[in-house]
C-alpha cells in the first residue's frame, strides 16, 4: 500500500535495499580483478580468453533477459518475497562459483547468479517507489545510486585484497555474509507490497530475447577464438541470433503485454537516450576487459594495486554524478552529453598510446577524466528517457535502460574482447614457430596462455615474455581505437537527435513530479 506521507521506516528500508544490492554490484567489479588469476593454469582454472568472456557474459545475458519478467512477477507475487528469493539464489550461486572445478562450471554458476541478480534489482527500485512519497523519491533514488557507486569503488580493492591473501574463489565467497545479513534485515524491516493492477507475463518474448542474444554473443566470441568471421561456426549462430531477435521485435509489436515494448523506440528522444547508454557501456566494458591485463601483466602491478588504481574512475563518478543535473540545467542535455561523449572517446583513444613506460600519473588522470565524463552522460540520458514516457511507464523506462546497458556491456566484452584475441594471435604467431605444435596452440590462445607456456619452459621460455607483452599492447591499441570510434559515433547520434536546451518540452503527464526516476 502506498502511503501519502511515506512509510514510517522508509529510510531504514532504503538502507537495507542499498545493502542488499551491494553484493550484486560488488561482485561484477570484483570479478574483473580476479580475471588474470582465474586464467592462470596453476593458481586458477586455466580459463581461456573466450571462457573469461563467457564468465562475464553468462551472468549479464541472463540478468538482462529476465529483468522485465522478474519485475512483473515481483509486482504480482510480492516484491519482498521476490527480493528474498533473489538473495537466496544469488548466495547459493556465489557458493557454487567459488568452488567451480573448471571454467564451464564457473560459467553455469555465474548464469544462476544472473537469475538471482535479476530478481533483486527491479524489486529494490519498486519497493523504494512504494515506500517513499513522490517528493522524497528523487532523493531516495539518488542515495540508492550513490550506494551503487560506492560498491563500484570498493569492489576492485576488495577483490585485490582477497586475491592476494586467499584463493580466487574468495571473490565469490565474500558475497555470502552480505547475502545472509541482508536476508535477515529484509525479513525484519522491508514491508510486502504488490501492484494492484499487474501486467501479464510474456514468456515467449523473454525466451526469444535470451535465445537471440546468446546466439549473437556466442557467434561473436567464437569469431574471436577462430580469428575469422568467415567460418560456419561464427556465421550460423550470429545469423540465427539476428533472425530470432527480428522475430522477437515482430512478436513484441503485435501483443498487448510485451516484455520489451519496442514501440517506444519510434520516439527519437527515447531512442537517442537509450542508444547513448548502450554505446557508452559497449565501449567502456570492452575497455575494462583489457585494462586489468594491462595493469597486472604488462605493468606488473598486483591485483590489490590494480584495484586501487581504479579508484580515480569511481571517485570521479561519486563526485560528478550529483553535480550533473546542474550541468544539464546550465548547458542543456544535448551540449553536456555530446561534450561528455567526446571526452569519453578521447580517454578511450588515449589507451592506444599507452605502453610499458607510460607514467602511472598519466593513467590515473585518464581514469579520472573518463569517470567524470561518464558521470555526466547517465543523468541527462535518464532524464530524457523519463520525459519521453508517460508517467505510469516510469518502471518500464528504468527496466529498458538497465536491459540495454547490460546487453551493450555484454556485446562490448564479446566484440572488443574478440578483436583483442584475434589481433594478439596474429601478432604472437611468428614468435611461437620454434615451439612444438601442441604448445604453439596453447601459447597462441591468449596473453596468459603464452606466459603460462613461457613459465613452464623455464629459461627457454623467457624469450617469449617480451614479444607476448608487445603483441598484447598491439591488440590493446587496436581495441582502444575501435572503442573510441564507437564513443565518437555516440557523440554524433546525441548531437543529431537529442533535444537542445531550448527545445519545446514534450507533452507528458502533468504530474511529472510524481514520477519515479529511472536509475541508469
Amino acid at each position: 500500500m502506498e502511503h501519502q506521507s511515506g512509510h514510517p521506516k522508509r529510510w531504514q528500508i532504503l538502507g537495507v535495499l542499498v545493502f542488499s544490492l551491494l553484493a550484486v554490484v560488488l561482485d561484477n567489479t570484483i570479478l574483473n580483478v580476479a580475471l588474470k588469476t582465474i586464467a592462470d593454469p596453476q593458481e586458477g582454472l586455466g580459463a581461456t580468453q573466450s571462457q573469461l568472456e563467457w564468465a562475464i557474459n553468462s551472468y549479464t545475458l541472463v540478468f538482462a533477459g529476465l529483468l522485465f519478467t522478474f519485475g512483473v512477477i515481483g509486482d504480482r507475487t510480492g516484491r519482498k518475497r521476490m527480493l528474498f528469493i533473489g538473495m537466496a539464489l544469488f548466495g547459493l550461486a556465489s557458493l557454487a562459483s567459488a568452488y567451480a572445478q573448471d571454467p564451464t562450471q564457473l560459467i553455469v554458476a555465474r548464469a544462476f547468479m544472473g537469475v538471482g541478480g535479476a530478481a533483486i534489482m527491479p524489486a529494490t527500485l519498486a519497493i523504494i517507489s512504494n515506500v517513499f512519497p513522490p517528493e522524497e523519491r528523487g532523493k531516495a533514488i539518488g542515495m540508492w545510486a550513490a550506494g551503487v557507486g560506492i560498491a563500484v569503488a570498493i569492489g576492485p580493492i576488495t577483490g585485490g585484497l582477497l586475491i592476494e591473501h586467499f584463493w580466487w574463489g574468495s571473490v565469490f565467497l565474500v558475497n555470502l555474509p552480505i547475502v545472509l545479513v541482508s536476508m535477515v534485515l529484509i525479513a525484519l524491516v522491508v514491508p510486502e507490497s504488490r501492484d494492484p493492477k499487474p501486467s501479464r507475463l510474456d514468456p515467449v518474448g523473454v525466451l526469444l530475447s535470451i535465445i537471440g542474444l546468446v546466439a549473437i554473443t556466442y557467434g561473436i566470441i567464437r569469431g574471436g577464438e577462430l580469428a575469422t568471421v568467415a567460418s560456419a561456426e561464427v556465421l550460423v549462430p550470429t545469423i540465427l541470433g539476428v533472425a530470432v531477435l527480428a522475430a522477437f521485435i515482430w512478436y513484441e509489436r503485435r501483443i498487448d503485454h510485451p516484455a520489451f515494448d519496442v514501440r517506444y523506440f519510434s520516439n527519437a528522444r527515447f531512442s537517442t537516450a537509450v542508444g547513448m547508454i548502450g554505446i557508452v557501456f559497449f565501449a567502456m566494458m570492452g575497455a575494462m576487459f583489457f585494462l586489468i591485463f594491462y595493469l597486472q601483466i604488462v605493468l606488473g602491478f598486483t591485483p590489490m594495486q590494480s584495484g586501487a588504481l581504479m579508484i580515480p574512475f569511481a571517485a570521479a563518478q561519486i563526485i560528478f554524478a550529483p553535480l550533473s543535473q546542474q550541468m544539464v540545467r546550465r548547458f542543456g542535455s544535448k551540449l553536456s552529453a555530446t561534450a561528455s561523449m567526446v571526452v569519453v572517446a578521447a580517454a578511450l583513444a588515449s589507451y592506444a598510446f599507452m605502453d610499458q613506460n607510460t607514467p602511472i600519473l598519466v593513467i590515473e588522470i585518464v581514469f579520472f577524466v573518463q569517470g567524470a565524463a561518464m558521470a555526466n552522460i547517465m543523468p541527462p540520458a535518464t532524464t530524457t528517457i523519463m520525459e519521453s514516457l508517460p508517467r505510469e511507464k516510469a518502471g518500464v523506462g528504468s527496466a529498458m535502460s538497465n536491459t540495454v546497458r547490460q546487453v551493450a556491456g555484454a556485446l562490448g566484452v564479446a566484440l572488443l574482447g574478440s578483436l583483442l584475441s584475434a589481433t594478439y594471435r596474429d601478432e604472437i604467431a611468428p614468435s611461437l614457430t620454434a615451439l612444438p605444435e601442441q604448445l604453439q596452440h596453447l601459447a597462441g590462445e591468449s596473453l596468459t596462455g603464452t606466459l603460462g607456456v613461457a613459465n613452464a619452459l623455464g629459461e627457454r621460455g623467457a624469450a617469449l615474455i617480451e614479444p607476448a607483452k608487445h603483441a598484447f599492447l598491439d591488440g590493446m591499441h587496436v581495441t582502444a581505437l575501435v572503442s573510441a570510434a564507437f564513443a565518437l559515433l555516440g557523440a554524433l547520434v546525441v548531437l543529431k537527435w537529442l533535444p537542445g536546451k531550448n527545445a519545446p518540452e514534450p507533452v507528458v503527464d502533468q504530474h511529472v513530479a510524481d514520477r519515479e526516476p529511472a536509475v541508469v
Side-chain angles (χ1 to χ4, degrees):
M1 181 185 121
E2 181 152 342
H3 302 251
Q4 277 311 302
S5 58
H7 193 282
K9 288 188 174 175
R10 58 191 178 278
W11 295 106
Q12 289 103 301
I13 293 166
L14 178 65
V16 173
L17 296 176
V18 170
F19 185 74
S20 306
L21 208 60
L22 193 66
V24 180
V25 181
L26 200 64
D27 178 73
N28 279 342
T29 49
I30 280 184
L31 179 67
N32 280 332
V33 181
L35 288 175
K36 173 183 170 278
T37 314
I38 294 170
D40 190 293
Q42 271 80 43
E43 287 181 43
L45 298 173
T48 63
Q49 194 96 2
S50 61
Q51 285 168 331
L52 289 178
E53 289 169 36
W54 274 117
I56 295 172
N57 284 340
S58 64
Y59 174 91
T60 306
L61 289 170
V62 171
F63 179 91
L66 294 175
L67 209 56
F68 278 97
T69 302
F70 280 0
V72 175
I73 294 173
D75 287 346
R76 287 172 155 244
T77 59
R79 292 154 186 157
K80 175 179 178 173
R81 179 184 297 173
M82 200 67 186
L83 186 58
F84 199 82
I85 292 169
M87 289 308 293
L89 188 57
F90 192 83
L92 289 170
S94 298
L95 194 62
S97 296
Y99 291 102
Q101 300 301 304
D102 59 50
T104 310
Q105 285 180 18
L106 178 63
I107 290 164
V108 172
R110 288 275 302 154
F112 278 105
M113 284 174 74
V115 177
I120 295 164
M121 185 72 100
T124 56
L125 272 177
I127 292 167
I128 290 173
S129 296
N130 192 62
V131 298
F132 280 90
E135 64 275 12
E136 286 181 348
R137 239 173 246 166
K139 186 180 175 187
I141 292 195
M143 289 174 74
W144 180 92
V148 172
I150 291 164
V152 168
I154 60 175
I157 306 167
T158 314
L161 270 170
L162 291 167
I163 291 283
E164 276 179 37
H165 294 285
F166 306 99
W167 99 116
W168 64 267
S170 60
V171 301
F172 296 111
L173 279 188
V174 76
N175 294 334
L176 290 180
I178 301 174
V179 165
L180 292 170
V181 172
S182 54
M183 283 173 78
V184 171
L185 291 173
I186 290 163
L188 296 175
V189 178
V190 177
E192 185 56 284
S193 67
R194 290 178 181 80
D195 186 344
K197 292 183 287 193
S199 337
R200 285 162 60 200
L201 292 176
D202 173 22
V204 177
V206 171
L207 202 62
L208 286 174
S209 66
I210 293 177
I211 292 169
L213 289 170
V214 170
I216 286 178
T217 309
Y218 176 81
I220 294 169
I221 292 178
R222 199 74 187 108
E225 281 179 61
L226 301 171
T228 174
V229 191
S231 159
E233 283 186 68
V234 180
L235 290 174
V236 172
T238 309
I239 293 166
L240 173 74
V242 171
V244 171
L245 286 184
F248 164 75
I249 292 167
W250 178 87
Y251 178 77
E252 295 293 283
R253 288 185 66 156
R254 275 156 184 75
I255 61 168
D256 58 2
H257 55 283
F260 193 97
D261 197 336
V262 289
R263 286 168 294 208
Y264 290 126
F265 285 95
S266 59
N267 178 331
R269 291 165 62 91
F270 179 83
S271 321
T272 307
V274 170
M276 190 158 101
I277 292 165
I279 288 168
V280 168
F281 271 85
F282 177 92
M284 194 188 78
M285 289 297 289
M288 285 292 181
F289 191 73
F290 64 65
L291 280 175
I292 291 298
F293 289 93
Y294 171 63
L295 293 172
Q296 289 186 24
I297 293 181
V298 177
L299 298 183
F301 288 105
T302 64
M304 172 65 195
Q305 288 167 331
S306 58
L309 289 172
M310 290 289 180
I311 290 175
F313 181 81
Q317 296 221 321
I318 293 168
I319 294 165
F320 289 98
L323 305 173
S324 61
Q325 290 295 1
Q326 292 170 22
M327 297 286 285
V328 172
R329 273 199 294 275
R330 187 158 179 196
F331 302 108
S333 292
K334 184 196 282 275
L335 190 60
S336 57
T338 306
S340 301
M341 290 291 261
V342 170
V343 173
V344 167
L348 291 169
S350 69
Y351 297 131
F353 301 97
M354 291 183 184
D355 56 22
Q356 285 157 291
N357 308 312
T358 304
I360 198 64
L361 182 65
V362 171
I363 298 171
E364 292 293 83
I365 291 168
V366 170
F367 283 175
F368 186 82
V369 169
Q370 189 181 336
M374 288 278 302
N376 279 295
I377 289 171
M378 292 307 150
T382 308
T383 309
T384 306
I385 287 171
M386 298 319 296
E387 285 179 354
S388 4
L389 295 180
R391 179 180 135 221
E392 64 276 10
K393 295 294 179 191
V396 175
S398 166
M400 276 195 172
S401 51
N402 255 315
T403 304
V404 168
R405 182 177 76 176
Q406 296 290 341
V407 170
L411 290 176
V413 169
L415 205 72
L416 297 173
S418 297
L419 179 65
L420 181 67
S421 300
T423 314
Y424 179 81
R425 280 205 188 83
D426 287 349
E427 296 289 329
I428 195 67
S431 308
L432 304 176
T433 47
L435 296 176
E437 197 166 315
Q438 191 184 356
L439 281 182
Q440 265 188 45
H441 176 72
L442 193 64
E445 266 285 305
S446 61
L447 176 60
T448 44
T450 312
L451 295 181
V453 169
N455 291 337
L457 291 173
E459 283 182 27
R460 265 181 65 214
L464 289 176
I465 293 175
E466 281 311 304
K469 288 182 179 177
H470 283 295
F472 176 80
L473 282 171
D474 286 344
M476 172 175 131
H477 293 161
V478 171
T479 310
L481 289 173
V482 171
S483 55
F486 273 104
L488 266 183
L489 173 73
L492 293 172
V493 167
V494 171
L495 191 62
K496 175 103 174 69
W497 284 293
L498 204 67
K501 190 179 181 186
N502 300 315
E505 277 298 306
V507 181
V508 289
D509 194 307
Q510 59 178 340
H511 304 295
V512 79
D514 290 5
R515 288 210 296 232
E516 60 205 80
V519 170
V520 180

